[in-house]
Amino acid sequence: MTKRAVAFGVALALSALGSAASAQSWNMATPYPDTNFHTQNIKMFIEEIEAATPLRITLHTNASLLRMPEIMRGVQTRQAQLGEILLSAYGNDDPMFRVDSIPFLAPGFVNGIKLWHASREAIEQRFEDRGLIVLYSVPWPGQGIYTKEPMATPDALNGVSFRAYNAATARLAELMGAIPTTVQAAEIPQAFATGIVSAMITSAATGVDSQAWDFVQYYYNTRAMNTRNVVFVNAQAFNGLDAETQQVIREAAARAEIRGWMMSAEAEELTTSRLAEEGMTVANASPEVMEALIAIGTQMAEEWVAEAGDEGRALLEAIGR
Ligand code: PCA
């Protein structure tokens, strides 16, 4: 073989290697259904990446690839390269993961943005320690309480079996005198149908996803907190991409974060109206119930700081609490 032929062969092999490396197929796992605004946002995120890079991403929705509690581990072990989780569902791992679930600590989208910016670095560090990279985070609409019977006073939930989705909502239920059971979003209709739970806290968006009107009558729009989802990637997989593809993903993520906050605000309006259109009674919680929830929030913030320590105290100061 001539020198030239060898050089040509090497170049060919290298370019084949190069395109094999960039034309990868990835999987992404999310716990939420196709119609949910988070999922719609992810689809746009993926479209933007696929339009600008050879990377191909298959999205597995509605916990079809991995159940929510398995997604972080699943991305660490590269069963999927990308994942979306409800961050606070991992709140037992680290208090930083559940600060967004303390009732009335940072209610509403504006406070939520402040809280995210103040906690982002600490959360990113936790992900890095786990071999993961945070790409973006989007909040759920405000959280409200769904009941079968009217909830005029705080004791209405006494002894009621209550669907929780993380440690914080379980604690909230407990402090309301209810009996919490953790149920994943994808399993809500079944849990109500089989009588495992008869009340819950979640957004109007998840109420619509689970067709709450089939099993509860009342939605009390307390807007107690805007707990967040995080979209993240396996760090090794990400670092294995060429710099240009990495850049495209980072930029698409930044856009998805801003778009997602707006989509969440829009979903809050649309899905709250939808609950009413489907025949549910949508109401503000009574002053007594609000007072009780706010007091519970204060207690939970104290409990949280006791666990989160100096870092937690500094975070609350940073958001003016
Ligand atoms: N939906 C998710 C988390 C918060 C929300 O609005 C759920 O209910 O599991």
Side-chain angles (χ1 to χ4, degrees):
M1 227 194 278
T2 63
K3 258 192 188 160
R4 215 170 129 216
V6 171
F8 180 71
V10 168
L12 203 72
L14 281 178
S15 84
L17 209 75
S19 63
S22 49
Q24 290 182 40
S25 290
W26 279 11
N27 289 298
M28 175 163 189
T30 170
Y32 304 108
D34 283 82
T35 47
N36 185 276
F37 75 93
H38 284 292
T39 314
Q40 300 289 328
N41 192 27
I42 287 173
K43 286 185 179 172
M44 291 185 238
F45 169 66
I46 290 176
E47 270 167 29
E48 288 184 8
I49 295 168
E50 291 194 337
T53 74
L55 183 62
R56 292 294 164 263
I57 299 166
T58 305
L59 178 63
H60 303 269
T61 57
N62 216 19
S64 58
L65 181 64
L66 294 161
R67 289 177 72 246
M68 219 280 289
E70 296 152 3
I71 291 179
M72 191 186 274
R73 186 96 203 109
V75 176
Q76 283 176 307
T77 57
R78 290 175 84 153
Q79 280 176 274
Q81 288 76 12
L82 286 156
E84 180 188 40
I85 55 167
L86 179 73
L87 181 61
S88 53
Y90 291 79
N92 284 337
D93 291 5
D94 196 305
M96 271 300 154
F97 291 169
R98 62 171 201 273
V99 66
D100 64 11
S101 297
I102 301 169
F104 298 105
L105 181 73
F109 292 103
V110 174
N111 293 322
I113 288 174
K114 269 192 218 157
L115 178 61
W116 172 234
H117 286 162
S119 58
R120 178 171 196 147
E121 224 178 274
I123 291 166
E124 282 178 348
Q125 187 57 54
R126 267 55 166 198
F127 274 67
E128 232 178 277
D129 295 344
R130 290 165 170 75
L132 302 168
I133 297 171
V134 171
L135 291 174
Y136 69 86
S137 175
V138 169
W140 286 89
Q143 303 292 295
I145 297 177
Y146 293 74
T147 59
K148 285 180 186 286
E149 306 296 333
M151 179 180 62
T153 54
D155 61 3
L157 289 177
N158 238 332
V160 170
S161 54
F162 191 92
R163 180 258 170 173
Y165 56 74
N166 59 17
T169 51
R171 181 75 181 129
L172 170 69
E174 231 170 59
L175 293 171
M176 296 283 287
I179 303 153
T181 304
T182 300
V183 175
Q184 298 307 320
E187 290 149 19
I188 291 172
Q190 197 188 349
F192 276 90
T194 53
I196 292 173
V197 293
S198 57
M200 65 176 168
I201 184 164
T202 188
S203 59
T206 295
V208 168
D209 286 343
S210 51
Q211 309 204 332
W213 48 86
D214 288 344
F215 44 81
V216 281
Q217 178 60 38
Y218 298 88
Y219 178 57
Y220 294 97
N221 196 358
T222 59
R223 298 190 173 151
M225 64 272 192
N226 294 67
T227 181
R228 275 191 308 268
N229 283 358
V230 169
V231 167
F232 58 102
V233 61
N234 178 287
Q236 251 183 354
F238 186 80
N239 293 331
L241 296 170
D242 58 76
E244 199 186 318
T245 303
Q246 290 185 9
Q247 178 74 6
V248 167
I249 295 176
R250 290 281 195 193
E251 286 171 9
R255 282 191 297 273
E257 179 158 306
I258 293 168
R259 185 173 61 226
W261 287 80
M262 291 190 294
M263 289 174 84
S264 187
E266 191 186 32
E268 181 165 277
E269 297 280 317
L270 292 176
T271 55
T272 306
S273 311
R274 175 81 188 281
L275 296 177
E277 282 159 24
E278 297 289 348
M280 287 185 64
T281 304
V282 174
N284 290 326
S286 68
E288 293 95 311
V289 169
M290 285 302 275
E291 211 174 292
L293 287 172
I294 290 168
I296 286 171
T298 306
Q299 178 178 344
M300 284 176 60
E302 282 163 12
E303 290 171 357
W304 183 82
V305 168
E307 216 183 307
D310 290 346
E311 191 186 22
R313 211 162 289 116
L315 173 59
L316 297 197
E317 263 167 39
I319 59 162
R321 299 299 300 239

